[in-house]
C-alpha cells in the first residue's frame, strides 16, 4: 500500500518549510544528528568524510550537525580516529567538509565536544592527559578515577570551546553546536550524580549550570552576533539511561534559563524515543518543554524513522502514534521546530529526499551494518 497524495503533500509541505536560527536560514526541518564515526586518522577529516556529509546535503538534509569533534584540550578525547577541531591539518580538512556541504546546497555546524571522565587513563590521542571532570568521578559510580578540575582547568576548557567556535566561523561553518549531553564533560557538571563540587560550580541546579553557561558566553563572545550557537543536552547518560537532570518543568527551567541567557540560539533536546512525554500531566516531549520554557527554537530527536511501526505508517499500513502523522502534527503545532535523524541517515543517504518526495515505499528498516562503512 502506498501513502495517499494528501499525506505525501502534507509531509512535503511541513518538512520543507525553512526555519531561522539566529542569522542562519535552514532550508527545511530535517537535521542530520551527530553520530560518531571513527574515519578520521590523526583526527583529520579527509575527502571521504567530506563526501559523506555532502551526499546527505545533496539529498535534502537541511542542517547537518557533524559527529562530535574534540576541542583543543588534551583531555578532550579518547581516540585518534575521531576528528579534532584544532590543529592546522584538522581545520583544513574541516574547511573542505564545509565547502562540500555548501556546494551541495546544505548548511552545517560542527559539534564541539569534550568527553571529560569518559576518557580512560592512557588513551589517545594524548596518552599522558588525565581524565578530568567536575569531581573526578564518572557516571558509573562514586569512585574517583580522574582529576577534579581546578579553576585553571575550567578556564582552559572554556577557552578551548571559544577558540573552536571562532575557528568554525573563520573556516566557513554556519554555526556551532556545544555537546552538553549523554554524560560527557559539560553534562557531568549539569548532573548531580557526577558533580559533587562545593564551590560555585556545584550544588543546586543553577550552580551546576555555571560551567556550561560560561562556555556558552565565551563562545558567544568569540563569534559574530548572528552566528548560531546550538546546545545539545539530555536527561539520560550513556552509562545511565534512567538518569535525569530535572524531575519537573521548574527544575528544567532552572537549568535552561541560564544557558539561554548566556547566548544559546537553539536547543537540541536528545531523547531515546521522541514520542515519549517528558513530565507527568503533559504530552510535550523534552524538546517541546525546552521551547516552552526558553522560547528558543528546539530540535527533537530520538528513534525517528527506525522502528518498523514508523515505517509501516510511512507506507500507509495502519496507524501508530510513532508514525509520520504524529511527527508532522507536533511540527505543525510548533511543539518543536526541527527533527533530527540519526541512524536512518547512516543507512540511507537519500532518506530526506525520499521523505520529501513521498517515496516512502523505498524506505527500509535500519540495518546496523551501515555503521561499518562511511558511504
Amino acid at each position: 500500500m502506498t501513502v495517499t497524495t494528501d499525506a505525501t503533500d502534507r509531509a512535503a509541505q511541513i518538512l520543507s518549510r525553512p526555519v531561522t536560527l539566529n542569522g542562519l536560514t535552514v532550508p527545511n526541518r530535517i537535521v542530520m544528528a551527530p553520530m560518531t564515526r571513527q574515519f578520521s586518522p590523526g583526527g583529520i577529516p579527509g575527502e571521504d568524510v567530506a563526501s559523506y556529509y555532502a551526499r546527505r546535503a545533496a539529498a535534502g538534509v537541511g542542517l547537518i550537525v557533524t559527529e562530535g569533534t574534540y576541542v583543543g584540550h588534551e583531555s578532550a578525547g579518547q581516540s585518534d580516529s575521531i576528528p579534532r577541531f584544532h590543529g592546522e591539518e584538522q581545520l583544513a580538512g574541516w574547511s573542505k567538509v564545509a565547502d562540500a556541504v555548501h556546494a551541495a546546497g546544505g548548511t552545517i555546524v560542527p559539534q564541539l565536544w569534550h568527553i571529560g571522565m569518559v576518557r580512560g587513563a592512557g588513551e589517545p590521542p594524548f596518552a599522558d592527559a588525565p581524565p578530568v571532570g567536575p569531581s573526578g568521578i564518572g557516571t558509573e559510580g562514586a569512585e574517583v578515577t580522574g582529576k577534579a578540575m581546578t579553576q585553571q582547568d575550567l578556564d582552559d576548557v572554556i577557552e578551548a570551546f571559544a577558540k573552536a567556535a571562532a575557528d568554525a566561523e573563520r573556516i566557513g561553518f554556519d554555526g556551532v553546536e556545544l555537546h552538553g549531553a549523554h554524560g560527557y564533560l559539560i553534562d557531568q557538571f549539569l548532573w548531580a550524580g557526577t558533580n559533587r563540587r562545593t564551590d560555585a560550580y556545584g550544588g543546586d541546579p543553577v550552580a551546576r549550570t555555571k560551567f556550561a553557561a560560561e562556555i556558552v558566553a565565551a563562545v558567544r563572545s568569540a563569534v559574530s552576533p548572528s552566528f548560531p550557537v546550538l546546545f545539545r543536552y539530555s536527561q539520560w547518560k550513556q552509562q545511565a539511561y534512567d538518569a535525569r537532570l530535572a524531575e519537573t518543568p521548574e527544575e528544567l527551567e532552572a537549568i535552561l534559563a541560564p544557558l539561554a541567557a548566556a547566548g544559546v540560539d537553539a536547543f537540541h533536546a536528545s531523547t531515546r524515543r521522541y514520542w515519549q512525554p517528558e513530565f507527568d500531566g503533559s504530552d510535550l516531549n523534552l524538546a517541546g518543554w525546552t521551547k516552552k520554557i526558553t522560547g528558543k527554537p528546539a530540535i527533537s530527536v530520538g528513534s525517528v524513522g527506525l522502528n518498523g511501526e514508523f515505517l509501516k505508517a510511512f507506507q500507509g499500513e495502519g496507524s501508530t502514534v510513532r508514525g509520520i502523522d504524529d511527527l508532522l502534527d507536533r511540527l505543525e503545532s510548533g511543539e518543536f521546530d526541527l527533527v533530527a535523524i540519526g541512524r536512518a541517515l547512516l543507512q540511507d543517504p537519500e532518506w530526506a529526499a525520499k521523505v520529501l518526495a513521498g517515496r516512502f515505499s523505498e524506505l527500509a528498516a535500519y540495518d546496523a551494518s551501515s555503521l561499518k562503512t562511511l558511504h
Side-chain angles (χ1 to χ4, degrees):
M1 185 181 295
T2 58
V3 176
T4 65
T5 301
D6 287 347
T8 300
D9 289 347
R10 182 172 184 244
Q13 180 184 29
I14 293 172
L15 291 170
S16 296
R17 293 179 301 168
V19 62
T20 299
L21 307 177
N22 196 343
L24 174 67
T25 298
V26 179
N28 61 49
R29 302 304 175 108
I30 299 176
V31 178
M32 181 175 182
M35 293 169 286
T36 297
R37 311 304 307 280
Q38 298 200 46
F39 290 95
S40 297
I44 304 167
E47 292 183 6
D48 55 343
V49 175
S51 296
Y52 160 77
Y53 287 119
R55 190 170 296 117
R56 284 143 180 92
V61 172
L63 174 65
I64 289 171
V65 182
T66 74
E67 62 209 285
T69 178
Y70 300 145
V71 296
H73 186 262
E74 289 193 348
S75 295
Q78 63 181 166
S79 170
D80 200 37
S81 297
I82 289 175
R84 305 199 285 271
F85 215 84
H86 61 96
E88 185 176 345
E89 289 182 276
Q90 288 80 4
L91 292 176
W94 278 120
S95 179
K96 293 177 181 177
V97 172
D99 289 346
V101 167
H102 291 152
T107 63
I108 184 169
V109 302
Q111 186 186 70
L112 305 180
W113 190 23
H114 192 305
I115 71 171
M117 288 299 303
V118 175
R119 173 178 168 78
E123 289 187 316
F126 303 104
D128 294 337
V132 299
S135 304
I137 61 175
T139 55
E140 299 88 348
E143 181 181 357
V144 176
T145 57
K147 177 186 178 184
M149 295 174 72
T150 65
Q151 186 63 55
Q152 186 62 57
D153 294 328
L154 298 174
D155 292 344
D156 289 346
V157 171
I158 292 168
E159 182 181 356
F161 273 95
K163 186 177 188 309
D167 284 336
E169 184 173 27
R170 175 178 59 83
I171 65 176
F173 278 84
D174 299 298
V176 293
E177 177 172 282
L178 310 179
H179 195 343
H182 306 162
Y184 296 113
L185 180 64
I186 295 175
D187 193 25
Q188 289 161 22
F189 275 84
L190 297 177
W191 188 42
T194 42
N195 187 343
R196 313 291 176 81
R197 297 176 75 98
T198 57
D199 63 2
Y201 293 92
D204 64 26
V206 173
R208 296 197 307 271
T209 306
K210 178 176 172 61
F211 178 57
E214 289 184 352
I215 290 175
V216 172
V219 166
R220 182 77 276 160
S221 295
V223 298
S224 301
S226 61
F227 194 69
V229 176
L230 284 60
F231 189 94
R232 194 179 212 211
Y233 82 100
S234 66
Q235 299 260 41
W236 63 278
K237 322 301 171 196
Q238 292 282 11
Q239 300 82 8
Y241 286 145
D242 59 348
R244 294 176 69 80
L245 296 178
E247 295 293 344
T248 66
E250 292 74 22
E251 290 179 0
L252 185 62
E253 184 174 9
I255 294 166
L256 297 183
L259 299 177
V264 171
D265 295 303
F267 287 93
H268 191 171
S270 178
T271 56
R272 299 183 68 222
R273 305 286 185 267
Y274 86 87
W275 56 85
Q276 292 180 341
E278 192 57 41
F279 300 114
D280 291 340
S282 170
D283 290 333
L284 293 178
N285 70 5
L286 186 61
W289 274 109
T290 299
K291 183 176 180 181
K292 181 176 181 178
I293 286 169
T294 67
K296 302 288 187 179
I299 303 169
S300 187
V301 66
S303 299
V304 177
L306 287 184
N307 62 78
E309 291 299 308
F310 189 95
L311 293 172
K312 288 178 182 178
F314 258 139
Q315 295 164 7
E317 300 173 6
S319 62
T320 169
V321 296
R322 304 174 192 178
I324 186 63
D325 286 338
D326 175 60
L327 184 69
L328 296 176
D329 287 346
R330 289 166 180 254
L331 277 169
E332 191 170 34
S333 71
E335 179 178 343
F336 44 78
D337 301 278
L338 300 107
V339 57
I341 314 299
R343 288 168 287 173
L345 270 173
L346 286 187
Q347 171 169 301
D348 186 357
E350 300 288 323
W351 191 94
K354 290 174 182 178
V355 171
L356 291 170
R359 293 155 47 199
F360 301 129
S361 63
E362 298 178 28
L363 297 171
Y366 172 71
D367 179 353
S369 64
S370 61
L371 288 171
K372 298 176 182 178
T373 59
L374 195 67
H375 68 284

